[in-house]
Each structure stands twice: as structure tokens, then as C-alpha cells.
Amino acid sequence: MADGGGIRVGVLTVSDRCSRGKAEDRSGPNLTRLVLEEPRLSIKEVAHECVPDDIEEIKKVLLRWSDEDHLNLILTTGGTGFSPRDVTPEATSQVIDRLAPGLAHRMMEESLKVTPLAMLSRPVCGTRKRTLIINFPGSVKGSQECFHFISRALPHAIELLMDSPKVSDTHKAMGAHHQQLQQDNHDCSRRFNKVDLTRIAERDRHSPFPMVPMDEAINIVMKQTEHLGTDTVNVEDGMGYILANDVLADSPFPPFPASIKDGYAVVASDGPGVRKVLGPVTAGVVTSSIVTSGHVMRITTGAPVPSGADSVVQVEDTELVESADEGQTEVQVNILSTPNPDQDIRAIGFDIAAGELVLSKGSPLGPPELGLLATVGVTKVPVYRKPRVAIMSTGNELVGSGEIPQAGQIRDSNKIMLSAAVTREGFEVLDLGIALDSPDDLQAKLKRGVSEADVIISSGGVSMGEKDLLKPVLEKGLGATVHFGRVFMKPGKPTTFASLRTGSQKKLLFALPGNPVSAMVTFYLFVLPALRKLAGHQFPHLTKIKAKLAKSVRLDPRPEYHRAVLSWQPDDPIPVAQSTGSQCSSRLLSMRTANALLVLPPRSDELIEIGSGSIVDALILGPV
């Protein structure tokens, strides 16, 4: 998009107190974070400076960033009010070549829906050469809201300034997806600030959330997902963790020449023939005896090879010549084969050399890996911390699985199903219970989840019904950023993903649809990869393979994740995919026995169905 393959951004904080170190600059770093986390912007670098409320100081930075550093985008925060020292708009006006009144109008229009005091803000937006300059308010809240109001327009604005070849592509896409872009014009901060949840008849009849393509939704989730940091656990407790550091062997293994077979330690140059038995040497015992020509020692697998011996002959290649003590002691044996030097002996360091890389950072710890760690003497293991997951169902109609439903009620299956899926992956679950369809109860349970867990999963309450309150509660009640609220997929269209920060920690919130199948499918596609990435997995997504359709499948207008059972025919490397039947999102029976999701494209004029025997992608859900 910009020179060097990414957008170069400058964030300028204008504040007398912050520039003198008498107040903490919170708006500038927050804007930097928002820019870096904005999925529509491909960021190369972000510069940040702080200057006093002085026209010449502000101009100096704006001119340097635009004329010398050639930044693509400059965002200022602070100095846009009515105070005598608020001069950022005046400084910006003296720098820009052309006004961009649409951006300022958009910010003002939407800000007035949040607070009438927004009329006292005086933002100036414009361009200088190929740099776009935008004034934001000085508060964290105000600058963040204004950034969200215009963020969707920024990539195309920069493309236009850079005379990018992507401009024509963008215009074509706008024409092809006009309806979707109309929905995109509704900003997330606009959605619920004026919603009165008690005025049912006046609720939105169309979702204010744009329909996000599947690939974009997954990319947004993964971009917002960060490792949780590291911890140290006992090696006995390391199962299922991801190793956080490389592990090197501090000594060789085996630490001594060890016998590979049960047999006799011999001098290879003696060849075959009758030999006198000096005695036994067993695993765990180091003998002081020395094997000399004409002599052997009986030896067991894993025992240290005694001095003087350079070969081991397996017991099957010998015969007894003489014994004593009523058969309890071997006196002489006959070596029947011709031994070779180093035969059936593991040399020092044969398995693991001193200093050898035993396990790499990012390795999943399973039984073999834990065995290796024990072999090299590791007792404490550096690992990535596993996320704690809070799970909540929503709906006035739900009762616990052990209760008897009354009229109009149903048993809650989602919570136990999602909890089992999370537990199977080795993560701890916090049960938030069933939330009523009320803002207060939803908010209380979500806040508990945010305070006690790293990831919160809810099901239900995200569609367009009068009791679907999750999205406004997330934004208004928790102050979370909703990254998307609808996905172009089937099942799971109303899937919602949000995040918020509490101190230095980011919490991820997945509001899944209430239909059981939708909840499970979106868990596998969005939540599980995020949990795995949080825990340090290098390859967090579901395994994808090719599969052959057993029967033809009629396509849906949306991309569909079709539940299926994979099976292999003799001598055929590609499995056959058998549909689980009706794919209705409420029909949990369609998940029973399913071990894959078939990735089917949306219906088009050219493609209405996929025929029997066609090859499609299949995402693996479990054992196959």
C-alpha cells in the first residue's frame, strides 16, 4: 500500500503537562495500540512524540514527519478544544495543502451521538503532499471513538494519496459489494450508544455489523491473540504444555558404554571358542573386573560394558560347556559366532550427545517429550502458560441439564458441550452458569469472567431478537472493542468476537450463536485456534486434508462447514466423506460421530452443487 510494503504512521500527543512530564500520556500510546491492532491497516512502523501546546512546536513535528520522513498518516491527540492553549487545529491548518472535511464531519456527526459536548471539539483533517493528517481529541475515550469512526476509510484514503494500483481494485470491490459496504458505514461506537434496550419496537431491524468474510474474521482473531507469557512446572505436570525454551543435554546418554543385548562381554579378537566366565555384570552395577583374552562376563541389556571387553555376543549365539554349584554358576561357555568390535554396544552419547538440542522451543509436551526431559535430568520445565476459560450460556429459556424443563424451557446443552471441548484440550474451565436475558445479569457474569479468566465464551444472545443483548452489553457494559459481529458463513453467521484490556492483560471474548451446532462449529473454527495460540502452539488451526464426497451436496449462498464422517477405503489415500444428514444448526445430531467439517464454497450462478466423488477440503475435528 505504501512505500516499503506497509503504512508508516506518526502519533503526536499535544499537551503542556505531558511534554513536561507532569502528567502521563495515555492517549498517544492508546492510539498507537489501536493503529497496530487495526486489521485493515498493514502497518510498517509507528512513531510517537509529545509536544507542548505551541503552534510552532506542533508544526515542526508535522512538517518533519510529512516532508522529511514521508509518513503516510499522522494522528494528533489533544489541543482541539476551546482553551486558549488549544492550538492544534491552527497549527494543522498552516501545514496542510488540502482539507479533508468528510473525515472531520464523520467524527463530529458520530461524536454528537455520544455526547452533545462534542460540538466544542474543533478537529481539522487534511493532506500535505502524500501525508494524511487528522486531529483527534485529547482524551483516551474521545480519541479512541474518533479513530473507530473513520478507521474503515483510512486504507483507501492512503491508497488514493499514494496513487496505489489497488485503488481500481478497491473501486471494483465497492461496486460488487455495495450492500456490504453500506453496512460497514455503521461504526462500532455508534451501534449501541443511543440504544434503549427497553424500546423493543424501535430496535434495529438490520444488523449494524458488517458481514465479515471468513478469512478476514479468522485473521482478526489471530491478530488479537497473544501468548500469555511463560511459567515453570514440574516435569511430572508438563503434559499438554508447550515448551517455552530450547532444552540442551548437559551430559551424554548413555553416560557409559552399554550393552544392547543379554549375552556375554567378550574380547572380539578372541573369535569363537570356549571361554572362562568371570562372573555377571547387570544393569545398574559397575564391576571392577577386567575382561582379558580367553575370558568373558555374562551381561544384561543396559549394563555397563566392563573394561577390557569390546564386543557383546547375544546369549542365543552361545552354549554352556561347564557349570558349578548345581547349575547356579557358569564356569565355561562356548562362543559360537565370530564377534566384531563394538558389536551390540551403545557408545557413550550414542542416544544423546552432550550439548545436543533435545527439544526445541514450541514443542508440545507429550509422553515421549517428558521422557526425554527426565532422561537429561530436567525437573523444572519452562512452558507457555495455558489460558483459563470461562464459559457461560445465555437465555431465559434455559435450565440445567439435570433439571426438568417447564413450559417453554429447554435444557442447556451448550455449556457442558463447550466445557468438554475445552477440557479435552487440556485447559481449565470456569463455569459462569446460565445468564438471564437482562443487561445486568449478562454484565455481572461477563465481568466475573473477565476478572478470573483469560478467555470468555458465551453462547446465545448475539442474533437480532429482542433478547439478544450480548453485543450492546459487551460494548456499553464492559467497554470491550467488538472486532466483528457477523461472519459470512454457515452455520454461525452472528458469531461475535471482542477484546478488552484490564491493566496489561488482554481478555478475549467469543460470543457464539445459541444453536448448538453453530456454537460447536464456531468454537472449532475461531475459539480453539485462539486457545492454542495463547498456549504457545505454533500450528493452532485445525488440520486440513482432502476428502471425496460420497454423495452430491447442494450449496448454500454462504460458505458452509458441513459436518461429515471420514472413512478410508483399502488402497485409497483420500478418505470418503459421508454427510451426517440434515445440517440444521439446531440439530446437534449432525455433530454426533462427525470427525470433520467439509469446507464448501458459496453457491453461485456457475456452481449450484458439488457432485459425488468431488474433492473438497476437510477440517479434522477428532480421531479419524
Side-chain angles (χ1 to χ4, degrees), residues 194-337:
K194 293 198 68 177
V195 170
D196 182 348
L197 299 177
T198 66
R199 298 168 70 103
I200 302 302
E202 298 178 9
R203 71 186 189 278
D204 281 338
R205 302 289 163 161
H206 301 282
S207 174
F209 290 87
M211 188 86 79
V212 177
M214 187 66 185
D215 289 346
E216 180 181 341
I218 292 175
N219 288 337
I220 290 172
V221 170
M222 301 314 286
K223 187 173 182 178
Q224 294 297 322
T225 304
E226 306 162 356
H227 291 160
L228 291 176
T230 61
D231 202 351
T232 300
V233 299
N234 294 325
V235 67
E236 295 88 351
D237 302 321
M239 183 67 184
Y241 281 95
I242 303 298
L243 192 63
N245 291 320
D246 291 344
V247 175
L248 306 179
D250 59 1
S251 59
F253 184 84
F256 48 80
S259 176
I260 296 176
K261 301 282 184 67
D262 292 326
Y264 294 87
V266 305
V267 178
S269 59
D270 280 353
V274 176
R275 302 288 179 261
K276 184 177 181 179
V277 181
L278 296 177
V281 56
T282 57
V285 176
V286 177
T287 180
S288 59
S289 299
I290 299 175
V291 177
T292 58
S293 180
H295 298 79
V296 298
M297 291 193 74
R298 192 169 71 250
I299 193 168
T300 60
T301 302
V305 176
S307 298
D310 63 355
S311 183
V312 170
V313 176
Q314 64 181 0
V315 69
E316 292 89 342
D317 293 335
T318 68
E319 63 182 10
L320 179 65
V321 174
E322 181 183 354
S323 65
D325 301 327
E326 298 181 349
Q328 296 186 38
T329 304
E330 292 179 340
V331 177
Q332 291 187 97
V333 294
N334 187 17
I335 304 299
L336 302 176
S337 63

Side-chain angles (χ1 to χ4, degrees), residues 95-101 125-129 132-133 160-161:
V95 167
I96 60 176
D97 301 323
R98 297 183 299 171
L99 284 169
C125 304
T127 62
R128 179 179 177 85
K129 299 179 181 177
L132 175 60
I133 304 174
L160 291 166
L161 280 175

